[in-house]
Amino acid sequence: MKTYDLIVIGAGPGGYVAAIRAAQNGLAVAVCEADAVGGTCLNRGCIPTKALLHSARAYQELQNASFIGILADNVRFDLAKIHARKDAVVSQLQNGIEQLLKANKIDLIRARAAILGQGRVRAGDETLGCKSILIASGSKPALPHIPGIEFALTSDSLLAEARLYPRLVIIGGGVIGMEFASLYSAFGCEVAVIEAMDRILPTMDREISQNLGMILKKRGVRIFAGARVEAIEKEKDGFACRFTAKGNAQEISADAVLCAVGRRANTENLFAKGFSVACEHGHIQVDDAFRTNVEGVYAIGDVIGKIQLAHAASAQGIYIADALAEKPRSVNLDVIPACIYTDPEIASVGLTVDEAKMRGMDVKTGKFLLTATGKALIEECERSFIKTVFDAQSEKLIGVQMMCPRATDLIGEAATAVANGLTTGQLISVVRPHPTFCESFTEAVEAADGRAIHAAPPRR
Ligand code: NAD
């Protein structure tokens, strides 16, 4: 029986990153993956959606670029080319991961793995031995119990098809729902979003939800919040989605219905008969060090159901790989930024004002509107802002929320600041370049003391 120090189940951003770091740390590692490497993020999530969004943005920019005197009345796009480009990006990245695994002398076992017991894994027909097992098997779209839900598509199926539905109803106004709403509306499709809570992106800063709602409504997206879907029915040409919003029964016809109401853990056939680890609501239960209730068996990423983000899974993978090799802890898992690739982009890290207040913290806050800055005017931005939240006593930055172009990159600086407890003074002392979006971060920090240069002074 071939044996390893570590067998990783799943080659997504949690699993393959853990495997590489473990190999760098001198461990003998195997990764079992039945599907393409890269997991949901690369094959059915972050990368393909962002590749499509990039194309959508290029198309939208061409349509809106009247200032360069576009000559054709009707700018058109070739959907087959857009999908081929997305597939090429995915395939190049899959190759990259495979090469990295090879270069790090990691055995990639292309088979479905099942855990037989402590230190024993069956991969296809082979039984493997190991000191530790890391479950990084990810998640799948969840489907609510709604009559007719079998007619709905998921983000998996929508991304796999090289087609656009002219009329799309999206159930769920969370991250996936709003990214698809942004994408589909950019391609000129009719979109309606049906969200159960009182606002879209209910876990985000309230002003971000409101601003996105306003921007999308201007683009023709219909948003129904506080709504309950009653049924999806097949019609002659398409589907009807019946729902109740604010007590009124409504119905929308569409060519497709996308269900985006969250994701559930992927634990199907993961355990051989007679063996299991403790689960809660379908997710694998772990402690703060990602240990399951069975010694030597760990779990990270979407399958544990805490923060379902690729970069969180990768960071957890690094944590485990370092811990198994008895190396000092190298990642701070307490500060995980979140990004939403709508147009404009949204990103946040740390606490919002409401969350800080709910914890009884005394805070001071800053807000800077980018809309009148040189960079925003040049790039024709919609209403954009950066908000900062500081602990009033220590003056340390504890949270940042952004809705502006490049927010998903800019949040990196904010994450460094929050993770290292940087203060107003330390953040202001840094000179940021002009004209950029990042210089507005300086202003959002200064705004917390009423001293932003490019904003009217606060009323006294
Ligand atoms: P989500 O939890 O972000 O949003 C689901 C939304 O559906 C919520 O707003 C919820 O109130 C609503 N909802 C639930 N049941 C409903 C019902 N019956 N009718 C109407 N609305 C209903 O989940 P998601 O958008 O499916 O995304 C899944 C996971 O993937 C999330 O953890 C998300 O963070 C992650 N993800 C991240 C990114 C990114 O980082 N950019 C992109 C896509 C997905």
Side-chain angles (χ1 to χ4, degrees), residues 351 353 355-364 390-393 398:
L351 301 178
V353 185
E355 286 165 345
K357 284 187 178 160
M358 259 163 36
R359 292 181 188 198
M361 297 176 82
D362 184 13
V363 295
K364 63 173 188 172
F390 290 89
D391 177 86
Q393 261 85 52
I398 55 170

Side-chain angles (χ1 to χ4, degrees), residues 45-46 49-50 144 146 171-179 194-197 199-203 227-229 259-263 302 306-311 338-341:
C46 323
T49 46
K50 269 83 250 180
I146 296 170
I171 303 177
V175 184
I176 295 182
M178 298 327 294
E179 287 188 353
I194 303 173
E195 164 58 47
M197 305 294 279
R199 60 184 169 107
I200 54 169
L201 299 180
T203 57
R228 203 179 69 209
V229 178
C259 180
V261 300
R263 299 181 63 87
D302 283 13
K306 292 183 178 170
I307 308 174
Q308 292 184 320
L309 295 172
H311 49 278
C339 298
I340 308 178
Y341 295 79

Side-chain angles (χ1 to χ4, degrees), residues 270-291:
L270 188 59
F271 306 111
K273 229 178 179 176
F275 179 80
S276 184
V277 301
C279 291
E280 198 175 26
H281 304 301
H283 292 112
I284 294 181
Q285 258 186 311
V286 291
D287 65 10
D288 288 347
F290 305 101
R291 291 180 290 226

Side-chain angles (χ1 to χ4, degrees), residues 144-152 169 171 194 227-235 239-244 249-254 257:
H145 297 289
I146 296 170
I149 194 68
E150 65 277 12
F151 298 127
V169 166
I171 303 177
I194 303 173
R228 203 179 69 209
V229 178
E230 307 291 350
I232 303 166
E233 283 156 10
K234 181 120 186 57
E235 285 186 329
F239 303 92
C241 188
R242 284 203 287 110
F243 62 100
T244 316
Q250 310 216 30
E251 187 173 311
I252 300 182
S253 291
V257 178

Side-chain angles (χ1 to χ4, degrees), residues 174-215:
V175 184
I176 295 182
M178 298 327 294
E179 287 188 353
F180 273 100
S182 207
L183 174 70
Y184 261 68
S185 71
F187 278 129
C189 303
E190 268 180 38
V191 181
V193 178
I194 303 173
E195 164 58 47
M197 305 294 279
D198 67 346
R199 60 184 169 107
I200 54 169
L201 299 180
T203 57
M204 278 276 155
D205 173 75
R206 188 169 282 277
E207 192 177 354
I208 285 183
S209 301
Q210 285 164 349
N211 201 36
L212 181 66
M214 276 177 344
I215 289 172

